[in-house]
Amino acid sequence: AQSVTQPDIHITVSEGASLELRCNYSYGATPYLFWYVQSPGQGLQLLLKYFSGDTLVQGIKGFEAEFKRSQSSFNLRKPSVHWSDAAEYFCAVGGTGGFKTIFGAGTRLFVKA
Amino acid sequence: EAEVAQSPRYKITEKSQAVAFWCDPISGHATLYWYRQILGQGPELLVQFQDESVVDDSQLPKDRFSAERLKGVDSTLKIQPAELGDSAMYLCASSEGGLNYGYTFGSGTRLTVV
């Protein structure tokens, strides 16, 4: 069955430090993978997506993610975090053949000065 | 930049009352989704439309929830009667079609049932 796991409920990083948010998925074929960001009380904004090609994908706001098929992972990274990056981040997986896109439970990012 | 419009932003209703949410997707987006997001969790799909047709409503509690997209443009999600457990954020999203596009989400409607 299709599933998404975000192992970290929350993460705290210092401003200027690097960030990596983990995402593991379960899907029988090549997945469509997404990262979204949600500020408090707002909808979700698409950061980046992967469905084929280069396994390192670049997104908006300086984020990137790497697809590793052998590890069933799609971790989100940013080299230097800004205070405005504090938000909740959701990994999502979708597929063809009628599989709906499902979301992980999210990772809340706190940024300390 | 084009946006998905949702209204109202906030709604407080008493249990057993009816409540409705409205969504206007990005112009030209054929696919429309309603998601429910309980506090502290990820969004869960309630219903998916392709134009005016329902593609997936397997997770929609049909005894109390209904959704329509009569002309294949804007959509309404209704709950009748509302229950305390329905308190959540209701998100609408639209897509050009095809998973490779990702979704554009609206700002959501925060429902509180008292």
Side-chain angles (χ1 to χ4, degrees):
Chain A
Q2 201 176 348
S3 67
V4 181
T5 302
Q6 294 182 247
D8 304 304
I9 296 173
H10 55 80
I11 283 181
T12 301
V13 299
S14 298
E15 191 170 18
S18 63
L19 169 71
E20 182 169 26
L21 301 181
R22 296 184 291 164
C23 173
N24 294 100
Y25 69 90
S26 174
Y27 184 67
T30 299
Y32 289 70
L33 295 162
F34 309 86
W35 275 99
Y36 289 84
V37 60
Q38 185 179 34
S39 298
Q42 299 298 314
L44 282 72
Q45 181 183 22
L46 180 66
L47 286 175
L48 48 77
K49 58 193 177 187
Y50 169 82
F51 51 92
S52 67
D54 192 346
T55 56
L56 183 64
V57 293
Q58 302 297 320
I60 61 172
K61 305 186 180 188
F63 285 92
E64 66 178 25
E66 185 171 14
F67 171 57
K68 292 186 177 180
R69 183 187 300 275
S70 62
Q71 299 177 19
S72 297
S73 69
F74 189 57
N75 294 348
L76 182 71
R77 301 195 293 249
K78 186 169 185 178
S80 177
V81 168
H82 188 262
W83 64 266
S84 60
D85 293 324
E88 186 129 27
Y89 291 80
F90 293 94
C91 181
V93 60
T96 57
F99 288 102
K100 68 185 77 173
T101 297
I102 62 171
F103 289 78
T107 297
R108 169 74 66 181
L109 173 65
F110 297 95
V111 180
K112 60 182 181 180
Chain B
E1 185 177 336
E3 294 183 347
V4 174
Q6 286 190 250
S7 66
R9 283 298 310 276
Y10 305 94
K11 180 70 178 179
I12 300 174
T13 191
E14 294 182 347
K15 64 180 182 179
S16 79
Q17 296 298 304
V19 63
F21 315 128
W22 177 79
C23 172
D24 191 12
I26 291 173
S27 178
H29 280 195
T31 312
L32 184 147
Y33 310 83
W34 282 102
Y35 279 85
R36 177 171 60 186
Q37 185 180 21
I38 296 170
L39 194 63
Q41 298 181 19
E44 294 180 297
L45 181 67
L46 290 174
V47 60
Q48 176 183 343
F49 288 93
Q50 182 68 29
D51 298 309
E52 67 276 9
S53 301
V54 173
V55 173
D56 184 347
D57 64 356
S58 57
Q59 300 301 310
L60 188 72
K62 298 181 189 64
D63 57 334
R64 298 185 300 108
F65 285 65
S66 64
E68 60 183 16
R69 192 184 185 198
L70 293 177
K71 297 182 179 179
V73 181
D74 59 337
S75 175
T76 301
L77 178 69
K78 297 179 181 177
I79 308 175
Q80 183 174 16
E83 296 179 354
L84 295 178
D86 297 331
S87 295
M89 175 80 90
Y90 290 82
L91 294 163
C92 179
S94 69
S95 172
E96 290 185 59
L99 283 169
N100 48 322
Y101 289 99
Y103 302 163
T104 301
F105 280 86
S107 296
T109 296
R110 168 71 67 188
L111 173 67
T112 302
V113 182
V114 298

